[in-house]
Amino acid sequence: MAKNKLAIHEVLEIHEMLTLKQAGLVKGYVSEPLIKDEKLQKIARKHLKNTEQAISELKQLLPNKA
């Protein structure tokens, strides 16, 4: 977690990035079963894994809800 206090505009930017990443993740999971090419499936799965990691990292930047 970030040790420095974030400004409100920074928190809002992180929320916006999270929203976009999460929407892309949902779209990716919905589209994945439709992919027939094995090479493309592998790329899509790697992208989903990377997106999940990015979401996790972005969440760690947000201040705790106390």
Side-chain angles (χ1 to χ4, degrees):
M1 178 160 74
K3 294 183 182 184
N4 297 332
K5 184 173 166 113
L6 297 173
I8 189 69
H9 73 278
E10 293 170 322
V11 173
L12 292 172
E13 289 289 333
I14 293 171
H15 275 286
E16 185 176 351
M17 288 187 283
L18 271 170
T19 300
L20 292 172
K21 290 282 185 192
Q22 290 169 333
L25 190 63
V26 169
K27 185 176 180 181
Y29 275 119
V30 169
S31 301
E32 185 186 13
L34 303 174
I35 301 171
K36 304 300 179 201
D37 182 68
E38 288 182 33
K39 197 172 186 180
L40 188 54
Q41 282 178 341
K42 185 177 178 181
I43 293 169
R45 287 187 191 115
K46 185 175 181 181
H47 175 70
L48 291 173
K49 181 180 173 187
N50 290 341
T51 302
E52 288 173 344
Q53 180 65 32
I55 288 170
S56 176
E57 291 173 9
L58 285 169
K59 284 181 178 180
Q60 290 176 6
L61 294 174
L62 292 173
N64 285 338
K65 297 176 185 175

